[in-house]
Amino acid sequence: MRRRAALVTLISTLLALGIPGAVSVSSAEAASFDLYVSPTGDDHANGTLQHPVRTLERARDLVRERVAGMKGDLTVHLASGTYRQTKPLVLDARDSGTGGHQVIWQGTGNTVISGGRKVAGWRPVDGRSGLWSAPAPRGLTDTRQLYVDGVRAQRARGAVPVTLTQTATGYTASSDVLAHWKHPSDAEFVYTSGESLWNIERNGLGQWTEPRCRIAAAEGTTITMVQPCWDNSNKRVEFPDIPGRTVSMVGPGHLTNSGKATYIENAYELLDQPGEWYLDRAVHRVYYLPRKGENLARADVEAAQAEKLIDGQGTADAPVHDVAFRGLQFSYATWLTPSQPEGFSEIQAGYTITGDKGWATQGLCQYVEGGTCPFASWTKMPGNVSFAYGQRIAFSDDVFAHFGASGLDLGTGSKDSTVSGSVFTDISGNGLEIGGVDGQTPASGVQVTDNHLYGLPREYHGGVAILNGYTQHSTIAHNQIDHVGYSAVSLGWGGWPDKIGDAATPNPSHDNAVRDNLIFDYMQMLDDGGGIYTQGLTGTSLADGEKVTGNVIHDQWGLGKNVYTDNGCTYETVEGNVLYHASYANVASRHTDYRDSLGNNDPTLVKDNWWEEGTSDGDNKGLVTTGNKIMAGRSDVPSEILDNAGLEPAYQGLLNRPVGAVSTPEAPSRVGTSTAGPDALYVTFNPSFVDGGSPVTGYTARASDATGKQVGEQSVTAADFKRTALVRIGGLPAGPLTVTVAASNAHGSGAPSLASLPLTPTTVTALPGAPTGPKLRTASTAATVAWTPPTATGDAKVVGYRVTVSDGRDPIDVTGRDVLVGQPSAKGMFRVIGGLRPGTSYTVTIATVTAAGTGPAATVTATTRS
């Protein structure tokens, strides 16, 4: 049976490629089990090899006619080409396999299921040099995504052109500029969070969020924002007896920084950079500024139209089951809710507050009258491919790319399903979602293995690569996750009540494992997350609680942890991982267990990891730390552990699988400056985590005066910036200056970032104080030196530390993003010193470095272990 099915698949592929002489299998035999689909087929045909049908819907209907008599797997062969969907292919229990056999939707590797519409007929726009326009495709009334040769274009964006003063319904503007735009109600304010740093603002609803709300109307200087997005982002109910603490216990009750928007998006007036676009819905035209080298006469320009491509609508009583998708690319789907009055009022990981009174009741359960249950049940971002109550659903050798929501959602009631050997990239929000947190049937037995997730999220930057809600017996293993804007893997929910001394919300999760994954270059944009982030109850004991084992996690940018055990995280085991280059801690943090009044911590086992923080063995009221080893470098770790993490050998080819044309990198974000003397600025920014299909090689920072004239420029390699986290531009004039940064790769230089806030270089002379609380945590041949930033830094920002070891080696210059963030957040710092001798006393000094120079040192002495 397998041999026959494989032969039929081969023949289907040969026919799709136009190779003659491919028919050598009995047509009757093939027709009894298999169906054939081609973009050039005919839905009046019978679906045989010689007479394929054209649409997925017709193929599904033919499947329904044949499943009852299945004597083996029924394969739907999809020939190469693009299958355009204006609405999702809806599957239910009738489309399931029977008798232990599967219905297999089989592609060729060049089979694309698309929700896009081609945009053609481009012409130059009179009076606008470089700007082109084309009629919007028939039936396209709105979209949030446009792609040119598989490369995502940027919705036109720019700085808010007026000063805003927040009101109950929106803002009062400093002038009526916005009221004179063509369509001000198309425009959307974006509120980017992250840590406050230098003159980078924190504008959202917590360091891990990036909410969005559209303008409803601009009349004169009065700007009214859409409802309910505005109230859901500014009226979140707070405890009357706990000032500033929302009843949700997640983030602030209103937009921070007086509701100031970081930038504005989606207006014709903002079209000023190559790669930007705008859809004028009133005149039904698309506008685009081509990037260098793009030819719109030849380019494949796709506007995303459909909001779902596959919609598996099982129920608890009638699940859809035994269906597989192989060798398919799912692309060009959008999500329009954020453009509507609901907006995108984010809570965490793409969950939002929705509904007219969502701010007052949604997910607040026992804490407010009329609160909906369970606690923390907010609205999950949908998947452009989704299943509810799907059993034994399998995705393999697939690509999920160019999406406007989440990539794949195996939601409520998903059971014994698999995702393997697939690529997730260029997705607006979460890459893969498993289960939910709404009190419905949990997902169980979901296996996510050997996938490559990277270059996401592209639009809702608080999204994560893999989001796992309340699940049982789920495994996330041997995946590679790299170059992501926030956390890589997020598990669990509902632990926030410990912030007010209550126990985490009970949930059905248990026996979940995150093992042998390779995670690096994560949290490249937002803060307060981790490589593997968990919160809430993970089981009933350490035996059935979550297991985080064998993972290699390194090179974090934003402030957070390699493994983050957040509020209420109970019964988690963190064992045998390799954890380094974190910007806060390798494993953290401790939380009180409020299930009783004993004052213990949430039971957690941190065992036999290779790490840098060097915490001593001990039992801190249930938080057990034992057998962990200080690593000074990868050479300290057994090679078999490093080699075992990430994609297994058979799947390494995923790393070279192209998705879209090679292009220049996405612009860096959150550019900030600090004075570096009377004629110089230090510049920091979030690196480009979307590299355009070619690694970022460098960055160029450009300073401009108040007239927009460029007055200074400095380039730095990507490797040097990763090490130092800053660029110095010297020889600058007096006066307020702004800075933009562009990233480069082998394809060229990308568009510049949004500009920093203005800053005037000044003279700095006062030296910083000494670091405080120095500690030396020793092993036999290495030690972790830890300290807290100084309370006073003179008249300049901290840009580094100088560590000196008493054995006469050259001083160690400590730089990096955590150095820049450390002082304002008072976070602890640590670095590993290797090459030490056992049983030897060492004295280490740590001094703070600013633009004014090196301050006095703190000193600590300890003896290495024998």
Side-chain angles (χ1 to χ4, degrees):
M1 182 64 68
R2 290 182 179 177
R3 183 174 299 172
R4 184 204 62 80
L7 183 58
V8 172
T9 300
L10 173 62
I11 293 170
S12 177
T13 302
L14 294 174
L15 285 176
L17 295 173
I19 299 173
V23 181
S24 60
V25 173
S26 163
S27 296
E29 180 185 15
S32 65
F33 292 98
D34 294 1
L35 291 167
Y36 295 84
V37 192
S38 169
T40 59
D42 183 351
D43 276 355
H44 293 95
N46 57 10
T48 62
L49 184 63
Q50 296 87 353
H51 303 288
V53 298
R54 184 177 60 84
T55 66
L56 305 185
E57 286 77 12
R58 179 55 180 156
R60 176 204 58 197
D61 293 344
L62 291 175
V63 167
R64 290 177 177 176
E65 295 176 7
R66 301 186 184 189
V67 291
M70 287 176 63
K71 297 179 181 179
D73 292 342
L74 193 164
T75 301
V76 181
H77 300 272
L78 302 174
S80 295
T82 299
Y83 299 81
R84 296 188 180 273
Q85 300 289 111
T86 58
K87 57 185 179 180
L89 174 67
V90 176
L91 302 177
D92 58 33
R94 294 172 293 174
D95 307 301
S96 304
T98 59
H101 304 298
Q102 289 181 309
V103 174
I104 302 169
W105 295 77
Q106 177 72 59
T108 68
N110 294 307
T111 303
V112 179
I113 298 177
S114 170
R117 287 291 169 270
K118 277 184 174 292
V119 184
W122 292 95
R123 297 289 185 272
V125 176
D126 292 339
R128 285 292 306 270
S129 177
L131 185 64
W132 291 63
S133 76
R138 183 182 301 274
L140 181 75
T141 58
D142 199 4
T143 186
R144 295 179 64 90
Q145 289 83 34
L146 186 78
Y147 303 86
V148 181
D149 289 330
V151 177
R152 180 181 295 233
Q154 169 63 56
R155 284 208 309 174
R157 67 174 182 174
V160 181
V162 292
T163 301
L164 301 174
T165 302
Q166 190 173 359
T167 66
T169 57
Y171 300 97
T172 299
S174 57
S175 75
D176 63 353
V177 168
L178 294 179
H180 295 287
W181 282 8
K182 292 177 68 173
H183 305 295
S185 61
D186 281 353
E188 183 173 284
F189 284 153
V190 183
Y191 306 87
T192 306
S193 296
E195 289 288 341
S196 298
L197 172 64
W198 292 0
N199 64 346
I200 301 174
E201 295 179 333
R202 179 195 298 171
N203 295 325
L205 289 162
Q207 298 95 306
W208 54 93
T209 66
E210 192 180 57
R212 294 164 171 260
C213 285
R214 185 171 56 79
I215 293 173
E219 300 174 348
T221 60
T222 299
I223 298 175
T224 304
M225 302 298 290
V226 294
Q227 294 286 13
C229 185
W230 185 249
D231 280 355
N232 285 337
S233 302
N234 285 288
K235 294 176 66 174
R236 297 180 181 181
V237 62
E238 298 181 354
F239 287 107
D241 54 344
I242 311 177
R245 173 67 72 196
T246 60
V247 173
S248 73
M249 293 168 263
V250 188
H254 53 81
L255 294 167
T256 54
N257 197 21
S258 299
K260 184 174 180 179
T262 307
Y263 61 93
I264 189 170
E265 189 173 278
N266 199 41
Y268 178 86
E269 290 75 8
L270 298 173
L271 284 165
D272 62 356
Q273 295 294 334
E276 289 188 332
W277 70 281
Y278 170 69
L279 170 63
D280 190 328
R281 294 179 296 159
V283 298
H284 207 60
R285 292 198 73 81
V286 181
Y287 294 88
Y288 180 63
L289 273 169
R291 300 178 179 96
K292 183 179 178 180
E294 290 178 336
N295 184 334
L296 295 182
R298 297 194 302 263
D300 175 24
V301 182
E302 300 277 348
Q305 180 184 24
E307 294 193 74
K308 280 193 177 182
L309 300 182
I310 306 289
D311 190 6
Q313 298 181 356
T315 66
D317 295 329
V320 55
H321 59 87
D322 297 292
V323 181
F325 302 87
R326 301 174 182 171
L328 303 172
Q329 177 169 327
F330 302 96
S331 289
Y332 304 124
T334 190
W335 178 39
L336 297 178
T337 296
S339 296
Q340 297 164 359
E342 202 76 74
F344 189 73
S345 181
E346 190 170 24
I347 279 280
Q348 183 168 318
Y351 276 85
T352 57
I353 294 181
T354 59
D356 291 343
K357 292 290 184 179
W359 58 272
T361 61
Q362 191 174 32
L364 301 185
C365 207
Q366 71 268 29
Y367 293 108
V368 296
E369 184 176 353
T372 60
C373 291
F375 172 73
S377 175
W378 297 296
T379 302
K380 185 172 68 172
M381 180 185 295
N384 290 133
V385 175
S386 68
F387 277 83
Y389 291 101
Q391 297 182 5
R392 297 178 297 283
I393 307 299
F395 288 88
S396 61
D397 192 28
D398 298 315
V399 173
F400 299 84
H402 317 318
F403 275 172
S406 293
L408 171 63
D409 178 21
L410 298 178
T412 295
S414 294
K415 185 177 181 181
D416 298 333
S417 296
T418 60
V419 184
S420 64
S422 297
V423 171
F424 293 76
T425 189
D426 190 22
I427 295 168
S428 287
N430 300 315
L432 168 62
E433 299 177 332
I434 309 168
V437 297
D438 56 3
Q440 303 288 328
T441 304
S444 63
V446 176
Q447 311 292 307
V448 179
T449 59
D450 286 297
N451 302 285
H452 187 202
L453 303 97
Y454 69 98
L456 59 89
R458 296 296 303 273
E459 188 173 0
Y460 312 107
H461 293 114
V464 303
I466 300 177
L467 176 65
N468 186 100
Y470 293 149
T471 67
Q472 302 168 356
H473 299 286
S474 292
T475 298
I476 300 170
H478 285 293
N479 302 285
Q480 178 168 315
I481 304 173
D482 61 271
H483 295 87
V484 293
Y486 182 52
S487 295
V489 180
S490 178
L491 298 94
W493 209 250
W496 295 288
D498 77 356
K499 292 183 176 181
I500 60 168
D502 283 357
T505 303
N507 70 73
S509 292
H510 61 80
D511 291 291
N512 296 311
V514 187
R515 60 174 178 80
D516 306 318
N517 299 284
L518 174 59
I519 298 170
F520 61 94
D521 287 340
Y522 60 98
M523 292 184 64
Q524 299 271 289
M525 186 167 178
L526 297 183
D527 294 288
D528 200 8
I532 297 173
Y533 170 94
T534 305
Q535 63 116 308
L537 294 164
T538 75
T540 61
S541 67
L542 284 172
D544 71 356
E546 182 181 310
K547 305 295 189 300
V548 176
T549 61
N551 302 284
V552 176
I553 308 174
H554 63 90
D555 288 289
Q556 172 185 306
W557 184 260
L559 190 64
K561 297 93 175 177
N562 293 136
V563 177
Y564 192 165
T565 57
D566 203 6
N567 298 100
C569 180
T570 306
Y571 298 127
E572 178 165 321
T573 297
V574 182
E575 182 175 1
N577 303 282
V578 180
L579 312 171
Y580 62 99
H581 294 176
S583 63
Y584 190 91
N586 296 135
V587 181
S589 52
R590 178 205 65 78
H591 290 278
T592 301
D593 186 352
Y594 290 106
R595 293 176 299 166
D596 53 40
S597 59
L598 299 178
N600 292 320
N601 293 320
D602 291 326
T604 307
L605 177 61
V606 183
K607 179 183 180 184
D608 294 338
N609 300 284
W610 284 262
W611 65 359
E612 295 176 320
E613 67 181 77
T615 303
S616 300
D617 288 358
D619 183 347
N620 182 8
K621 298 181 178 180
L623 172 56
V624 178
T625 305
T626 180
N628 301 291
K629 307 164 191 68
I630 295 175
M631 56 177 290
R634 288 173 64 95
S635 61
D636 293 339
V637 182
S639 59
E640 59 268 22
I641 295 175
L642 297 172
D643 294 343
N644 186 56
L647 299 173
E648 294 176 283
Y651 297 92
Q652 287 290 318
L654 293 178
L655 302 179
N656 301 314
R657 188 165 185 172
V659 179
V662 176
S663 67
T664 56
E666 187 174 74
S669 62
R670 304 193 74 228
V671 180
T673 53
S674 174
T675 189
D679 67 344
L681 291 175
Y682 285 127
V683 183
T684 191
F685 49 90
N686 288 77
S688 300
F689 61 90
V690 178
D691 62 16
S694 176
V696 174
T697 54
Y699 299 95
T700 299
R702 297 180 173 91
S704 302
D705 63 18
T707 69
K709 177 184 176 182
Q710 183 177 318
V711 294
E713 177 180 308
Q714 183 63 52
S715 296
V716 64
T717 67
D720 281 347
F721 179 73
K722 189 172 186 177
R723 176 177 53 83
T724 64
L726 55 83
V727 182
R728 185 183 186 277
I729 309 178
L732 299 175
L737 307 175
T738 59
V739 176
T740 61
V741 184
S744 300
N745 63 11
H747 196 70
S749 180
S753 67
L754 297 170
S756 68
L757 294 175
L759 188 70
T760 299
T762 59
T763 301
V764 290
T765 58
L767 293 175
T772 62
K775 297 179 177 64
L776 200 58
R777 305 163 183 161
T778 60
S780 59
T781 60
T784 297
V785 58
W787 67 93
T788 301
T791 56
T793 61
D795 49 10
K797 305 294 186 182
V798 175
V799 296
Y801 294 93
R802 175 151 287 195
V803 175
T804 305
V805 185
S806 58
D807 59 6
R809 69 182 68 194
D810 290 340
I812 302 167
D813 289 325
V814 176
T815 59
R817 182 66 160 198
D818 59 331
V819 169
L820 309 187
V821 179
Q823 199 280 327
S825 64
K827 69 169 287 293
M829 302 289 303
F830 62 91
R831 287 296 189 276
V832 174
I833 302 169
L836 305 180
R837 298 177 61 183
T840 304
S841 176
Y842 289 91
T843 297
V844 178
T845 64
I846 314 105
T848 309
V849 181
T850 70
T854 303
T859 302
V860 61
T861 299
T863 300
T864 54
R865 299 176 189 174
S866 300

